[in-house]
Amino acid sequence: MKKVIIFGATGTVGAYTSLFLKDLGYDVIAVGRRKSDNNFFSDHQISYYSIDISDSESFEVLPHKNIEAVLNFAGAMPAKMEGYNPYEYVNTIVMGTLNVLEYAKRINCNRFVFSQSISDILYLFGSENKISADVERRFPVTGDHSVYSICKNAAVNFIEHYAITYNFKYFILRLPTIYAYHGSPYYYVNGERKYLAYRLLIEKAMRGEPIEVWGNPAQKKEITYIKDLLQIIRGCLETTVQGGIYNVGTGGRSVFRRTDRWNYRSLFL
C-alpha cells in the first residue's frame, strides 16, 4: 500500500482527494491548519495532523518514513480571504511551500503534486489560440490576485529547483474554478463576500424560478468537475513520466505538457 501525505487536506480539493485516494487503497495522511477535524478523517480511517506550514518546526510531528508522494494544496486563496492580508499569501504559499519541500527532501519522496492558479496566464485569456502550459508566467498587476499570483509563481520556481536538485517527479496543476459541493455558497472578490453564481443558478432551477442572465453572451467561464480533477491527480501518482507544468482544462483541452503536448490520459502510461 503506497503512503501519501496531503497538505491542505481540510480544503475542498484536499478533502475530496484524501477520500478518493483512500478508496483507491492508498495509505493517506491528512495535514491541515485546523486544530480539529471534528473526526472527519478518523471516520474514514485517515490519520490527521494539525500544523502551521509557515512554521518549519511544526513539521517535526509528522511521519518521516515510507512516504511515496507529497501533495500540497495548502495556502491562502483570494476566494477565501475576507479583507486583504498580503502577508498571509507570503507566509502560507512562499514560506509554506518551501517548508513542505524541505520536508519532501528529508523524507526522500518520489513525487510532488502542487496546485497552481490560472491567474498567472490571465493575460492570455480572450485569445482564440489554445494556451499551452509552457507560456511565460506573469501576474495581474492589480486586484486581489496580484500578490497571490506572485507567491504562486515563486512557489512553482522553488518546486522546479527542488525537483531537479533532489531528483523527484513533480506535477504542477494549473487549476481553473473547480466545481465541487461545499457547505458554503459564498466566496470573496477583492475581500468582499459574494454568492457563487453557479450555486445561484442551480438553486433557482431547483425551485423552478425564472433565470435571467445579463452581460456578454460570448463570455466564457471554465469550470472543471472535481471528479475529473481527481482522475488527473491519480494519474500524477501512477505515471512513470517525470512531470512538469500542466493546464487542467485551460486552453480547450484537458492538460498540456510543456514540450510534447500530451493530454491527461498520458498520465496513466
Side-chain angles (χ1 to χ4, degrees), residues 133-150:
D134 59 349
V135 296
E136 178 187 358
R137 297 197 298 270
R138 298 184 187 176
F139 63 91
V141 294
T142 60
D144 61 352
H145 279 63
S146 183
V147 173
Y148 170 69
S149 298
I150 292 170

Side-chain angles (χ1 to χ4, degrees), residues 116-135:
Q116 165 67 311
S117 165
I118 62 169
S119 56
D120 68 326
I121 57 172
L122 286 179
Y123 72 98
L124 293 172
F125 277 40
S127 170
E128 292 300 318
N129 298 323
K130 294 175 181 178
I131 303 173
S132 67
D134 59 349
V135 296

Side-chain angles (χ1 to χ4, degrees), residues 10 31-36 48-52 54 88 92:
T10 54
V31 181
R33 193 173 185 176
R34 297 177 188 173
K35 295 298 182 183
S36 171
Y48 177 72
Y49 294 84
S50 173
I51 72 166
D52 178 1
S54 65
E88 190 70 10
T92 62

Side-chain angles (χ1 to χ4, degrees), residues 4 10 16 34 45 63 65 68 73 80 89 110 121 126 131 133 143 150 184 189 216 226 240 250 259 262:
V4 299
T10 54
Y16 273 92
R34 297 177 188 173
Q45 293 77 54
K65 294 182 179 180
E68 175 78 10
F73 304 130
K80 301 294 184 182
Y89 295 130
N110 177 267
I121 57 172
I131 303 173
I150 292 170
S184 172
V189 177
N216 180 4
I226 184 65
T240 58
T250 304
T259 53
W262 45 272

Side-chain angles (χ1 to χ4, degrees), residues 160-177:
E160 290 181 314
H161 162 64
Y162 271 73
I164 293 170
T165 303
Y166 301 106
N167 192 32
F168 56 79
K169 302 179 190 299
Y170 70 103
F171 301 88
I172 311 297
L173 303 180
R174 187 183 275 126
L175 306 183
T177 298

Side-chain angles (χ1 to χ4, degrees), residues 6 8-20 40-41 46 73 230:
I6 301 175
T10 54
T12 303
V13 172
Y16 273 92
T17 302
S18 298
L19 300 186
F20 174 71
F40 175 82
F41 291 105
I46 296 175
F73 304 130
L230 295 177

Side-chain angles (χ1 to χ4, degrees), residues 75-76 88-98 114 148 151-152 155:
E88 190 70 10
Y89 295 130
V90 175
N91 291 337
T92 62
I93 299 174
V94 180
M95 290 304 301
T97 301
L98 181 58
F114 181 74
Y148 170 69
C151 293
K152 279 287 190 177

Side-chain angles (χ1 to χ4, degrees), residues 181-239:
Y181 176 77
H182 190 279
S184 172
Y186 297 100
Y187 74 120
Y188 291 88
V189 177
N190 290 318
E192 297 184 6
R193 195 172 77 160
K194 307 286 184 180
Y195 207 91
L196 285 165
Y198 67 82
R199 286 285 289 267
L200 180 62
L201 294 176
I202 291 171
E203 290 168 9
K204 281 181 172 289
M206 291 173 65
R207 294 192 295 265
E209 298 177 0
I211 297 174
E212 293 186 27
V213 180
W214 294 75
N216 180 4
Q219 187 172 350
K220 300 176 181 178
K221 168 69 173 179
E222 185 163 31
I223 300 178
T224 296
Y225 186 37
I226 184 65
K227 290 186 178 180
D228 292 329
L229 174 59
L230 295 177
Q231 292 298 334
I232 293 172
I233 293 171
R234 176 186 180 183
C236 293
L237 299 179
E238 296 180 358
T239 184

